[in-house]
């Protein structure tokens, strides 16, 4: 029988959320398996990278007692003539894995991006060995545009590809 998952609330992140985000962000980035950030990123650099200002936004997923389970950030993928396409990044506290947090954050970012008027969402660098993330994004209507071979130095698997994904907004999801 599948586990019954407690509801997850997604809300805008505030500066007061950073102390709850930083420990799992540091852990995930230090592992070096899923993010193209320096494995030894400083807290100040991580905060500046993750806690976006408009036109971007940062969100947290919290459980019913307010515990931060994960976080996402979203905004324009590029500036100027490319700013009509959004992007997003997602991190789930490993202690909250398999509770639907990533899906809830993904659905929220898709809805938020559409509400902001973005015409699509592009992910620039999903590590090809991150099969759970790839399956989630495909299930949310993202298509693989291509894979940049050997573009990510994985600490276990060596050089692996970075998958570029896209999902149009305001119409049908992209075909897989």
């Amino acid at each position: 029988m599948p586990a019954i998952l407690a509801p997850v609330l997604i809300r805008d992140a505030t500066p007061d959320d950073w102390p709850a985000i930083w420990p799992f962000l540091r852990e995930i980035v230090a592992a070096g398996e899923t993010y193209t950030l320096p494995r030894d990123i400083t807290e100040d650099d991580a905060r500046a990278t993750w806690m976006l200002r408009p036109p971007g936004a940062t969100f947290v997923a919290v459980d019913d007692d307010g515990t931060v389970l994960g976080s996402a950030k979203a905004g324009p993928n590029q500036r100027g003539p490319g700013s009509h396409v959004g992007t997003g990044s997602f991190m789930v506290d490993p202690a909250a894995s398999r509770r639907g947090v990533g899906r809830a954050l993904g659905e929220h970012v898709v809805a938020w991006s559409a509400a902001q008027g973005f015409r699509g969402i592009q992910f620039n660098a999903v590590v090809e060995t991150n099969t759970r993330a790839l399956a989630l994004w495909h299930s949310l209507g993202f298509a693989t545009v291509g894979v940049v071979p050997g573009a990510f130095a994985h600490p276990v698997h060596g050089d692996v590809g970075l998958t570029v994904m896209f999902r149009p907004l305001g119409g049908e999801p992209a075909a897989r």
Side-chain angles (χ1 to χ4, degrees), residues 1 4 7 23 45 48 51 54 61-62 66 68 80 100 107-108 116-117 149-150 153-155 171:
M1 175 191 297
I4 297 173
D45 189 18
M51 302 297 284
V62 298
V68 174
E107 290 170 350
H108 183 81
Q116 298 303 305
H154 194 285

Side-chain angles (χ1 to χ4, degrees), residues 22-42 46 91 94 152-156:
W22 169 237
F24 65 82
L25 186 148
R26 179 181 56 220
E27 177 184 348
I28 291 165
V29 171
E33 296 181 359
T34 56
Y35 267 84
T36 59
L37 294 172
R39 292 176 74 178
D40 62 351
I41 194 167
T42 65
M91 287 198 192
F152 186 82
H154 194 285
V156 175

Side-chain angles (χ1 to χ4, degrees), residues 23 47 73 111 125 150:
R47 185 186 301 110
K73 64 177 185 163

Side-chain angles (χ1 to χ4, degrees), residues 110 135-143 165-168 172-176:
V110 168
L136 172 61
W137 304 136
H138 283 139
S139 77
L140 291 178
F142 286 82
M165 304 185 85
F166 180 75
R167 183 191 193 284
E172 291 299 310
R176 273 178 78 179

Side-chain angles (χ1 to χ4, degrees), residues 52-114:
L52 300 183
R53 295 183 188 157
T58 303
F59 310 102
V60 290
V62 298
D63 64 13
D64 56 0
D65 71 1
T67 300
V68 174
L69 306 171
S71 184
K73 64 177 185 163
N77 188 48
Q78 301 293 332
R79 295 172 25 175
S83 63
H84 62 287
V85 173
T87 192
S89 296
F90 305 82
M91 287 198 192
V92 175
D93 185 336
S97 181
R98 299 200 179 270
R99 291 182 52 187
V101 176
R103 176 171 298 279
L105 285 165
E107 290 170 350
H108 183 81
V109 165
V110 168
W112 178 87
S113 297

